[in-house]
Structures are given as C-alpha cells and as structure tokens.
Amino acid sequence: MANFRCALFVLCIYGLYTSCVADNQTRKVHIVYMGALPTGDYSPAEHHLSILSEVLEAGFLAQSSLVVSYKRSFNGFAAYLTDQESQKIANYEGVVSVFPSRYLQPRTTRSWDFMGFPENVRRHSSNESNVIIGVIDTGISPESESFSDKNIGPVPTKWKGECKGGKNFTCNNKLIGARYYIFCDSTRDLEGHGTHTTSTAAGNLVKGASFYGLAQGTARGAVPSARIAAYNVCIKNLGCPDQSILAAFDDAIADGVDFITISLGPYKPERLEMDSLAIGAFHAMEKNILTVTAAGNDGNSSGKVTAVAPWMLVVAASNIDRNIIDKGIGINSFNFNGSYFPLITGRDGSKKCHGIAAAQCYSGCLDKQLVKGKIVVCNGTAEALGEAFFAGALGSIVPNDADHNYTAVLPFPASLLSPQDVSLVKAYVQSTKIPLTNILKSEEVHDSEAPVVHYFSSRGPNRILPEILKPDLSAPGIAILAAFPEGVSPSDVDEIPKRSVKYNILSGTSMSTPHVSGAAAYVKSLNPSWSSSAIHSSLITTAKQMDASKNPDAEFAYGAGHLDPVNAASPGLVYETSKDEYIKMLCTIDFNTTKLRIIAGGNVTCPAGEKLTPKDLNYPTMTAYVAGNRPFTVSFSRRVTNVGLADSIYKANIINTSQLNITVEPHILSFRSLNEKKTFRIIVKGKGLELERYRMKSASLVWSDGVHKVRSPIVVYTK
C-alpha cells in the first residue's frame, strides 16, 4: 500500500493536479504557514520534512508529498495532504494556519496623459533606475521592445536575484530577474497578461504603438528607467495556485525588489492567515516593500472586494476619456472595406437545435455549412459569439447589456448592440428577401464622463476587516494598450489563423493595478528615503475626488478616488503605519500572542489594556461600522508626519454633503520641521443611516497648508 500511495503522489506532483485519491481519501495541496523564519541554527526544509514524516508515518512519502518549502523570507511549505492530515499539522507548535491551495485568477498610450502624467513629467532618472518592481503574474515576453535595455545602465548593486527564466529566455539590464514555479517550464508569458501588466507599470517608451491602428501613440510605463523582475506563477487556462504565489513572494522579498505588483485574486475574500496575498504582502511590508494588488473583477454587488489586508494597496478599475466602439461595443480590428454579406438569424443557421436554443446560438447549435460566409445575429451574448466563431461564421451580431459595457478584443468581425438594436436587426432579416449587412472596424470616441468605476470592478465593504476601507483608490483599467507576446492570441480564444500583435488592448482591475504600482515607483524615485507606508498613504490622500452621482457605490467603488501620480510625489502629510501597529491591530481580531510571535518573530506581545482596533489603525482613510438605524457617535484617532514644508500650518476642512456632524480636535496642526509628527481626533455623529444600498454616509477631511491638500474619506455604514 505504501508503494501505491507513493506512486499516486508522483502522479499528482508531476501532472496538472491539485488533488489525488489514496487510501480512499482525497489529498489536496495545502499551505502550511509558519510565520517568520526563526533565527539561529534552523533548517526550514529539514523541519518541514520532519513534520510530514511524522504525520504521514513514512519518510519517503514525506519527500513525495512536499511541493515547495518557503525558506528565504518567511517560513512554511506546501504539501499534498488529506483533510485529516492537515488538521493534525494545524495543531503542531509553530504552525499559524493550514489551508487548501486555491487557484487565483488573472484579474498605455492614453491612460497616463489622462491622469495628468505626461511623457515629460519631472523625473530623477538615476533614482528611477535604482527602483526594482517585482511582477507576480503569468510571466513576460523578454523580446518586447517595452523591455529593451537600450540606454539603461548596469544592474543595481542591491539586486540579489537571478535570471532563471528557462530555455531560450534571456534577461538584460532592464529585465534583471526571472523565475518560474510549479507546472511551468519557463518565465515566458503564454497568456499575455503578465507582459501587459509589466509594461503598464515600467515599460519603455515605444512610439507608434497601436492595436491595428487603434489607441495609437507612445506606449509607456510610469517609470521607463526602472528595473523589472518577473515571477511566473500561473498555469495556462487553469490559474495561479497559492503555493506558487507564496513561493514567488518568498523569492521576490529576498531578491531585493522595492515593490510587488500582483494582478491576481481569488473568487472570495479569506481570513488573513489563510490568504496567500495577505501573508506574502505582510512579510514584504516587514522589509519595507509595498504590495499593490487588484480589487477583483467580480461585479458591483456588495462586499465582493477580495484583497482586504491594510498593508496592501488595493486598486479598482475606472475608464479613461477614450472609448473604443463600432456600431456597438467591442474592439473589432477587422475591416470589410465596404463589402456587404448575407445576414441570417441563429434559427436560420441551425439544424440540430430549435426554438430558444437555436435563436440564442447555444453551444453546438450552429451548422458549419449554413453559417459559412454569413453574419449571424443571435439572442445570446458571450457564449453566442463563441459558438458563431467556432462554427466558422464570417461574423456575428449579439446583444449587450449597456450597463455591462466594456471593450474586449473580438476574435472575428462582430458587434455587440443594445437589445433594442438587435431586435431591429432581426426585424430587418425577417422583412427582407436577401438581407445583407456590413460590420465596421472599431473607432475611438471621446468619453467626457470619465473617470467612472466600471461595473465589473469589485466593490466594498471589506468583509474581513469591516472598518478598513477597500478598495483604496481607482485607476485606469478599461481599454488599456500595452505590450503583448507576439505568439499569443490577442482575444480570449485560440484564433485560427492566429493574429500576431506586439501591443494589445485589455480591460480589468489587472490593468488598473500596475498603473498604481508604477506610480508608487515614481513617488519613490523622487523620495527614495520614504517608507513603503508613506508611499501607500501619499497615493491615497492625493487621489482625485470622484463624482458619486456617476458612481452610486461611492467610496465602496473607488476608495479615496482616482490616482494622481504627480501630486502623490508631494503629499504634504502622510499617515505612516508601522509593523508594531499592525501587530496591535491583529491582537484585536483573534490573533493571540503565541500566534503573533510565530508570524512576526521576536518577543511580540498583545498588550493587556491597550487596544488598537482596525478603526483606529493609523490608516489614511476612516471607516466605521455602526449598528442599525439609531443615533451614533464614533471617533477616529490618527497621526500624520510632515513631509512637505518644514515650517507649515495645516487647517482642517470637512467636505460634507451627508448631514453628518463632524468635528476635528485640534483643527490646526503647526509644524516646525520635516518628519515632525502630530496627532488628532475626529468625532462623527449622526441620527442614523437610511435604508439604502450599503446604508452608508460619507464625507472627507482635508488638511491644507495652502500648497498641499491631504484628503481622507470618512465612511460610516451599517449592514
């Protein structure tokens, strides 16, 4: 039986499996998180194997079960375990948590200009070239012009990483590091997502970039001189397993990156000790590394934001003032050059299906001979487009919900019209003897309503820490042009014949996230001595106020507002949060002294009387959860550090349209030197919250010295 079990382990480990069955029990990959690395004479790998040997009752099975050891920046391992075995390990001394590994999912020419961040923005080139951004994603296309090292100097001496990109993969002075993980054989990007996000954050200036003439201009990242380290954690068409994500954090921290950008996320939020992003980002924070991540693409219903830890900067997605359309929605790069082609309905193109199934163009309904050379109008949406494409239709017209409109690259000539317009098209087909139509190539139009948070961008409130506002801010994430691997299909399907592009247009919170990581790197290049927490604060408090009338979910949609990279470099005041303060906060949410000593290392203790709730964490936004429809009084304590003018006086101003009674004590802060700190208190009173969505009210506190405006949202809500 032991040999049988061992063989099964081998099959699991070397196949694309997250689970297997042995002894009538399912073994799945579990993460065993063990906190900080112990000091002194300690071998993590030996310790991990000894735990597995005891639990599995056989040394050779332990070696087969072990997937990866985390031993460079924090302590832990991933292994194939049954639920019973994982529960045993959870009771071991020194283990913080054990949880199943999930698969997280991947979540520009105009966008930087739209934010007032021009190509000729003030820079400190030598500092910028010393900044290293670690990108945990689907890999990178090293040949892209966006990652050329032309005119870039030697690798910074602080870099401790390696170029382990796999076969035929070469790094340079721009792309200085590469690693890949479980089930991958290279850091080369097979999906396009990682190449796109990386170039958005730190790509070179590439003039004349476009997608078949659309979105034409100079493609660039925020910090073209910065260095890049790519960590490929994703398996094509499957996702990005937790065990690989933690391994990448473990390496990136030890390699010496300054920032980590990770546009990946789970389907739902998890407790902090069972969240690979929160765990990795915590240990990055300990080393003064800021992690920037995506809010998620799970739609605009309440509490969907999946990145919740306060030591991560979490980004929503909004549009820019350029929209790409044809007669409907979608990015259609194909041109019929004025020619017209036969137009039929899904029912006309189907032999196998009848009624609604045929009209909707359900999967397998369309007949290849009936649709060949024709444009098919279907009642269905995304599935119908795929059915028409794979059936070999010349093109397709389908309905699109206007509220859910966003620009995605189409694999063949198609148009997504409003349901009303689709009805008109069908009426034309039914009333015309030989119906013909043409689908125009997409074009660019100006959108004066921007920025507006898109429908797919995940909203708050924060389900795990209700008094920490997430997302933190919004950034461009709709129809973003950036670098793309030439051998990868630019649409979501494997096209035949495959189009090959150097730059592609993608949408998602994945695209907004690297805008913020690039902006964070820009801030550091001008303020190299600042802590990651100061940079975190500067990006939030300088965000531009967004219009709540266009964004009915208000702060739960856009956080503090829209990214403003230029002003973020000179915020005036910052709200810095230390590791010790995060530890004190964790003490109030069921983390005891024993568990915290494992996580943080050293002799940390939960103070007996002193409490630091999430509400009073020194965070740049202020959020309170209150009970029901009755009067409330809440207070927030905060501390700011002067990073503006040495001799300055800041006055408090409350921007309030929600009938909250807000006072600030004191309402004037006088500074005599840089890095001087001042504390203040905010008291918020209200008569109760109305029965509306989220049942929330919000206002803003703005500290101003006449030069700087330091704005923090104040949000009060109930269930």
Side-chain angles (χ1 to χ4, degrees), residues 300-312:
N300 62 354
S301 56
S302 170
K304 289 288 189 177
V305 62
T306 57
V308 296
W311 46 82
M312 296 191 292

Side-chain angles (χ1 to χ4, degrees), residues 361-582:
C361 302
Y362 281 177
S363 178
C365 282
L366 294 180
D367 183 271
K368 290 182 181 291
Q369 295 303 316
L370 293 178
V371 302
K372 185 177 180 180
K374 299 181 179 71
I375 295 170
V376 186
V377 56
C378 301
N379 290 348
T381 52
E383 183 181 291
L385 270 181
E387 170 64 8
F389 172 76
F390 288 114
L394 184 63
S396 186
I397 297 171
V398 299
N400 181 68
D401 184 339
D403 291 335
H404 293 179
N405 122 54
Y406 80 100
T407 42
V409 170
L410 301 170
F412 71 145
S415 188
L416 286 77
L417 303 178
S418 69
Q420 295 80 7
D421 285 343
V422 170
S423 295
L424 291 175
V425 172
K426 288 166 61 183
Y428 162 70
V429 174
Q430 292 160 2
S431 64
T432 306
K433 189 173 182 179
I434 305 177
L436 300 171
T437 194
N438 178 16
I439 296 177
L440 301 176
K441 181 182 176 180
S442 294
E443 59 185 24
E444 299 170 39
V445 296
H446 180 73
D447 186 350
S448 59
E449 294 293 303
V452 177
V453 175
H454 212 268
Y455 88 93
F456 63 64
S457 186
S458 296
R459 267 64 169 175
N462 186 333
R463 289 190 176 186
I464 305 301
L465 296 171
E467 295 188 312
I468 298 292
L469 182 64
K470 295 292 175 180
D472 289 301
L473 77 170
S474 186
I478 310 302
I480 304 302
L481 182 83
F484 204 73
E486 291 189 65
V488 175
S489 169
S491 66
D492 286 337
V493 300
D494 287 330
E495 302 175 7
I496 301 174
K498 186 178 291 183
R499 288 176 291 174
S500 180
V501 299
K502 295 181 178 181
Y503 291 84
N504 196 13
I505 297 172
L506 300 180
S507 298
T509 52
S510 284
M511 283 63 253
S512 57
T513 297
H515 280 91
V516 175
S517 2
Y522 173 73
V523 172
K524 185 174 182 66
S525 72
L526 296 179
N527 303 279
S529 65
W530 282 11
S531 68
S532 61
S533 180
I535 295 170
H536 185 153
S537 171
S538 72
L539 292 161
I540 292 175
T541 62
T542 59
K544 293 178 180 176
Q545 177 73 60
M546 294 180 72
D547 187 343
S549 69
K550 299 176 185 176
N551 300 274
D553 306 323
E555 284 81 4
F556 288 144
Y558 50 66
H562 202 263
L563 175 65
D564 184 348
V566 173
N567 282 325
S570 181
L573 304 175
V574 293
Y575 295 77
E576 285 193 281
T577 312
S578 67
K579 173 185 169 181
D580 288 344
E581 288 172 307
Y582 286 129

Side-chain angles (χ1 to χ4, degrees), residues 159 259 277 308 347 361 389 613 692 708:
W159 175 243
F259 297 94
L277 297 185
V308 296
R347 294 187 186 195
C361 302
F389 172 76
T613 65
E692 54 192 73
H708 305 93

